[in-house]
Amino acid sequence: MKIRRGKISDLNELYKLLNKPKELQSGASGTGYSKPWIIVYIKNKKNYLTLIAEENGEIAGFILAEISKERKSSFLTDLFVKKEYRGTGLAKKLMSDHEKLCKRYGIKEVQCIVQIKNKAMLKFMRKVSWKIGHQFYLCGKNI
């Protein structure tokens, strides 16, 4: 399994993977991810990080994260592993690589939001020593 930075050639596959699973659809408006939104994560390496786990030329999983060197923080936007690769340690490897890069950038804190009903992800976050904070609702409005 190879972990690498995202490339524009990953766009169509990332688009499909981001818009398929219910656990990644947390927007209050119910809309999915757009290709321009994904392109920003791939191209803007100063403020965003895209890590791809690749197996036999196929995307097995990925992390999308926001990076703020000024605030010394990273916000993990999405972590996804295809079902056939779950339970293999891939998510843990992606998280580890994300944290190593963050440390290299001087990042001191990493955060994310997990849907309350996503019990598997909450269990995983505890397993990799993340603290689970307060529950809340995501509110939004299309304008």
Side-chain angles (χ1 to χ4, degrees), residues 50-140:
T50 303
L51 290 179
I52 303 290
E54 190 175 65
E55 180 75 15
N56 299 321
E58 176 183 300
I59 295 176
F62 59 85
I63 277 184
L64 301 179
E66 297 175 10
I67 302 287
S68 175
K69 293 177 185 175
E70 296 81 17
R71 290 187 314 233
K72 299 187 183 312
S73 69
S74 175
F75 185 81
L76 184 65
T77 309
D78 291 286
L79 166 63
F80 178 76
V81 174
K82 286 182 176 177
K83 286 188 183 191
E84 59 266 33
Y85 295 100
R86 293 180 186 176
T88 66
L90 179 54
K92 195 172 186 178
K93 173 73 172 134
L94 282 164
M95 291 287 279
S96 176
D97 283 13
H98 172 244
E99 289 177 17
K100 285 177 190 172
L101 282 169
C102 285
K103 286 178 184 176
R104 193 179 315 153
Y105 295 151
I107 302 293
K108 303 290 183 197
E109 179 181 45
V110 182
Q111 295 181 332
C112 73
I113 294 173
V114 178
Q115 288 185 25
I116 294 167
K117 63 185 177 185
N118 192 342
K119 304 293 184 199
M121 184 63 170
L122 289 167
K123 181 179 177 182
F124 171 74
M125 297 307 279
R126 287 183 183 97
K127 183 178 178 180
V128 294
S129 303
W130 281 50
K131 295 178 182 166
I132 307 300
H134 301 285
Q135 296 178 0
F136 65 93
Y137 290 97
L138 177 64
C139 302

